[in-house]
């Protein structure tokens, strides 16, 4: 084990967020155990070449807001080999703002609200089929389909290729073997590049046209930059929504009184969305040290990596009273960091909130009382975006 000299032995603990068994069984319990073990908010894992891990709310926020020290040029551990960039997330302030502004208007609340009718219709089309049965796998039959459909329409990707694209998306998002994943990623980038070229000469009312005709500080965007925007939107906007809705729906399946509340008062859906994002967060983003720095009394060195898991931040009792309780009227719930905070806060948050609220509303309106199938247990996945691979429901 290669532990740098400046790391004290009491802060060293073996932890690999990509494979940790505890995260695959009970992610919240596992992260709370780490919070208790390292109340100072920080430890060092020698796994994956070595990296720091924050274990509470204050440490999370201090890292993501300090972009001069904690750069987002690397956002995963282990780091990517530089095969592709993700814009704007891989760009640090102050440059970041000019790249983010290309998409800002497109993801504004007003712009997103225009999609509501269409998303509601697509959700209902999926429920039409599911409601004919008396059981389903919510992940495969709903959660993995709705965000892909919304994404393809928003980007302007050919909707007649939905099934093909869905299959690629699922491989790209869930496959861990790079030999299978990378060729599929290449197909996705290939399709997006085809459409970027087409929209260069004939723009349409879609996001790909906005991106390819954008200017960065008065100069035309390059094809490499346009691809980097498209790839980030794909990676940021699909897997996250799939998992958020699966965790939220699982909570509903196990709390019949909440299903009834949503059926009778669909207007409480936004509160349900916010509390379920806080209670069941699932993202472990990373940063790289841009310089030597003393953090929480501990020296860190330039080039070292750090991850800031959301679960111990959102379940930190110093930040949220009775953090394990699910409270629709929780005070200060908007302080949760499920969409991150600071300059890289999630640009797709308004869209995600709409997709989630409409899902909970329409599902509860259309479906009879439902529960989790007691004969199965959902398979969980660890990694930078932790997920749920299946959710068997019965009614
Ligand atoms: C529940 C669903 C979602 C969650 C939990 C989520 C979470 C996050 C988080 C944690 C970040 C910060 C990444 C970092 O700083 O390293 C982020 C950034 C981002 N997200 Fe989301 N996201 C969701 C949905 C979406 C959707 C639907 C889109 C768009 C289609 C989207 C687009 C983006 C973009 C463009 C950024 C980069 C912002 C920047 O760097 O300025 N996200 N998201």
């Amino acid at each position: 084990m290669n532990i740098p000299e400046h790391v004290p032995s009491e802060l060293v603990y073996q932890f690999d967020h990509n494979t940790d068994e505890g995260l695959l069984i009970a992610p919240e319990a596992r992260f709370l155990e780490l919070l208790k073990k390292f109340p100072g908010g920080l430890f060092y894992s020698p796994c994956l070449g070595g990296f720091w891990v924050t274990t509470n709310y204050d440490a999370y926020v201090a890292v993501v807001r300090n972009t001069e020290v904690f750069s987002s040029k690397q956002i995963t551990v282990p780091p990517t080999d530089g095969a592709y960039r993700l814009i704007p997330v891989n760009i640090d302030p102050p440059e970041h703002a000019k790249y983010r502004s290309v998409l800002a208007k497109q993801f504004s609340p007003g712009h997103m609200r225009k999609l509501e009718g269409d998303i509601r219709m697509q959700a209902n089309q999926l429920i039409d089929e599911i409601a004919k049965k008396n059981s389903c796998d919510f992940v495969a039959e709903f959660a993995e389909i709705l965000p892909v459909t919304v994404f393809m329409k928003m980007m302007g990707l050919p909707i007649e290729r939905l099934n093909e694209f869905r299959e690629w998306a699922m491989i790209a998002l869930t496959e861990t073997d790079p030999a299978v994943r990378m060729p599929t990623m290449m197909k996705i980038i290939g399709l997006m590049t085809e459409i970027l070229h087409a929209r260069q000469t004939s723009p349409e009312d879609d996001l790909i046209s906005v991106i390819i005709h954008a200017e960065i500080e008065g100069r035309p965007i390059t094809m490499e930059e346009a691809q980097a925007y498209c790839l980030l939107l794909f990676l940021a906007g699909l897997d996250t929504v799939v998992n958020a809705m699966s965790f939220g729906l699982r909570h509903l399946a196990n709390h019949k009184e909440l299903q009834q509340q949503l059926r009778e008062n669909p207007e409480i859906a936004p509160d349900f969305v916010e509390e379920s994002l806080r209670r069941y967060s699932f993202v472990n983003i990373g940063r790289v040290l841009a310089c030597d720095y003393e953090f929480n009394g501990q020296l860190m060195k330039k080039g070292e990596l750090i991850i800031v898991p959301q679960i111990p931040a959102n379940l930190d009792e110093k930040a949220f009273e009775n953090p394990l309780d699910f409270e629709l009227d929780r005070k200060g719930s908007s302080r949760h960091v499920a969409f991150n905070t600071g300059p890289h806060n999630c640009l797709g948050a308004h869209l995600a909130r709409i997709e989630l609220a409409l899902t909970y509303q329409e599902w509860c309106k259309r479906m009879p009382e439902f529960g989790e199938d007691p004969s199965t247990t959902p398979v969980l996945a660890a990694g930078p975006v932790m997920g749920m691979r299946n959710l068997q429901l019965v009614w």
Side-chain angles (χ1 to χ4, degrees):
M1 234 172 8
N2 192 9
I3 296 161
E5 268 176 24
H6 62 284
V7 178
S9 57
E10 65 273 17
L11 288 189
V12 176
Y13 181 76
Q14 296 257 5
F15 175 72
D16 176 352
H17 58 296
N18 294 320
T19 55
D20 185 81
E21 287 217 346
L23 293 185
L24 296 173
I25 299 165
E28 284 113 23
R30 176 63 168 142
F31 271 123
L32 287 177
E33 182 192 329
L34 294 175
L35 189 156
K36 216 165 148 193
K37 202 170 168 61
F38 298 100
L42 191 69
F43 72 92
Y44 184 88
S45 169
C47 302
L48 303 168
F51 63 104
W52 297 98
V53 183
T54 59
T55 59
N56 65 22
Y57 186 87
D58 285 347
Y60 178 105
V61 172
V63 168
V64 296
R65 292 207 175 138
N66 188 349
T67 56
E68 275 182 30
V69 172
F70 298 100
S71 162
S72 61
K73 287 199 169 70
Q74 284 294 349
I75 56 165
T76 55
V77 178
T80 49
D81 59 3
Y84 52 80
R85 272 204 301 171
L86 302 172
I87 297 181
V89 81
N90 282 151
I91 296 175
D92 293 321
E95 255 198 305
H96 163 259
K98 64 186 185 223
Y99 282 92
R100 183 170 162 115
S101 67
V102 166
L103 296 177
K105 193 172 145 219
Q106 303 303 315
F107 283 97
S108 66
H111 227 84
M112 289 299 105
R113 265 197 299 274
K114 289 188 203 146
L115 302 179
E116 262 189 49
D118 201 35
I119 298 175
R120 199 183 287 279
M121 189 188 73
Q122 288 164 38
N124 272 296
Q125 281 172 359
L126 295 172
I127 298 173
D128 285 344
E129 292 309 308
I130 296 169
K132 291 176 189 160
K133 313 191 294 177
N134 53 15
S135 69
C136 77
D137 175 359
F138 177 77
V139 176
E141 295 175 57
F142 189 98
E144 284 180 353
I145 305 177
L146 185 72
V148 178
T149 316
V150 171
F151 176 80
M152 287 190 77
K153 286 197 172 176
M154 194 173 68
M155 294 296 277
L157 296 169
I159 210 71
E160 61 279 8
R161 293 181 69 177
L162 175 70
N163 286 341
E164 194 184 355
F165 193 83
R166 249 192 69 204
E167 212 179 298
W168 296 347
M170 285 319 120
I171 296 172
L173 299 176
T174 58
E175 179 61 58
T176 48
D177 180 356
V180 183
R181 191 169 178 266
M182 279 322 277
T184 309
M185 288 289 282
M186 291 303 136
K187 283 187 201 161
I188 290 166
I189 298 169
L191 175 60
M192 297 215 235
T193 308
E194 214 180 280
I195 310 298
L196 280 165
H197 280 299
R199 298 295 191 271
Q200 216 162 18
T201 43
S202 326
E204 289 188 16
D205 183 16
D206 56 39
L207 205 45
I208 286 199
S209 300
V210 172
I211 291 171
I212 196 64
H213 291 280
E215 292 194 341
I216 317 277
E217 284 198 316
R219 62 152 177 92
I221 194 168
T222 65
M223 182 54 79
E224 184 272 328
E225 286 168 337
Q227 287 167 332
Y229 277 102
C230 292
L231 193 58
L232 172 62
L233 289 173
F234 172 83
L235 292 174
L238 295 188
D239 208 13
T240 48
V241 182
V242 175
N243 294 316
M245 63 178 56
S246 304
F247 285 114
L249 215 91
R250 186 184 191 192
H251 186 85
L252 277 176
N254 292 309
H255 294 84
K256 310 265 179 346
E257 72 293 350
L258 271 175
Q259 296 178 22
Q260 192 55 22
Q261 257 180 285
L262 269 163
R263 224 167 260 129
E264 287 167 6
N265 305 298
E267 67 280 2
I268 64 167
D271 293 332
F272 181 85
V273 169
E274 236 44 54
E275 181 64 347
S276 67
L277 284 166
R278 182 199 67 82
R279 178 62 183 78
Y280 302 104
S281 44
F282 50 85
V283 184
N284 301 310
I285 54 176
R287 296 291 187 254
V288 56
L289 270 284
C291 54
D292 290 0
Y293 187 64
E294 194 177 306
F295 181 73
N296 280 10
Q298 173 57 48
L299 176 65
M300 294 175 166
K301 294 268 187 151
K302 182 177 175 177
E304 288 178 348
L305 298 166
I306 181 166
I307 64 158
V308 287
Q310 292 181 340
I311 291 182
N314 281 335
L315 296 184
D316 181 350
E317 61 188 2
K318 292 206 178 108
F320 300 98
E321 219 173 288
N322 303 322
L324 291 173
D325 292 353
F326 195 98
E327 293 171 11
L328 283 184
D329 57 353
R330 177 177 288 281
K331 283 196 185 69
S333 71
S334 58
R335 293 175 66 231
H336 74 69
V337 291
F339 288 123
N340 203 10
T341 178
H344 290 286
N345 69 74
C346 176
L347 204 49
H350 301 300
L351 173 61
R353 286 185 169 112
I354 290 173
E355 290 186 64
L356 293 169
L358 292 179
T359 292
Y360 302 135
Q361 282 178 348
E362 296 307 308
W363 191 276
C364 289
K365 185 169 89 188
R366 300 272 317 273
M367 301 297 286
E369 191 177 277
F370 59 95
E372 218 180 311
D373 182 342
S375 67
T376 64
T377 309
V379 173
L380 302 182
V385 179
M386 299 187 294
M388 198 187 288
R389 296 289 178 248
N390 64 316
L391 175 61
Q392 221 51 56
L393 298 177
V394 286
W395 54 89

